[in-house]
Amino acid sequence: MLRQRLMWIVWPAFLMAGVLEMLVFAMVDPQDVHWFGTPVEWSRQAIYTAAFFVFWAVTTVSSGLTTLLAMSPVEVND
């Protein structure tokens, strides 16, 4: 059951991270990215990869919270 619930969380988060990646980088050039006012000196591929994992982490937390809120009190306390 734990493996199934984990897939309920991770797979939609993976798909949404891909969608976010496409939407963000359709409008933003990775070479124009700045971090605290200084340009990021990474390659385009490194920026794409880092952004994807950040998006995946954020959407995983969102999916996890949704799954947690959908659980009954009995499931949570077990």
Side-chain angles (χ1 to χ4, degrees):
M1 185 65 176
L2 178 63
R3 214 181 325 177
Q4 183 182 22
R5 187 162 288 155
L6 187 62
M7 284 309 298
W8 291 346
I9 295 168
V10 176
W11 180 243
F14 178 83
L15 294 175
M16 287 312 300
V19 170
L20 280 171
E21 182 92 9
M22 288 186 284
L23 289 175
V24 167
F25 289 114
M27 296 181 226
V28 176
D29 183 16
Q31 297 301 312
D32 293 337
V33 174
H34 288 72
W35 186 260
F36 294 111
T38 60
V40 177
E41 301 294 331
W42 295 356
S43 68
R44 287 179 189 266
Q45 189 174 11
I47 292 173
Y48 288 139
T49 302
F52 176 79
F53 283 114
V54 168
F55 294 152
W56 195 8
V58 170
T59 54
T60 298
V61 170
S62 173
S63 294
L65 288 173
T66 301
T67 303
L68 179 66
L69 291 172
M71 293 170 66
S72 70
V74 174
E75 290 176 304
V76 173
N77 292 325
D78 281 342

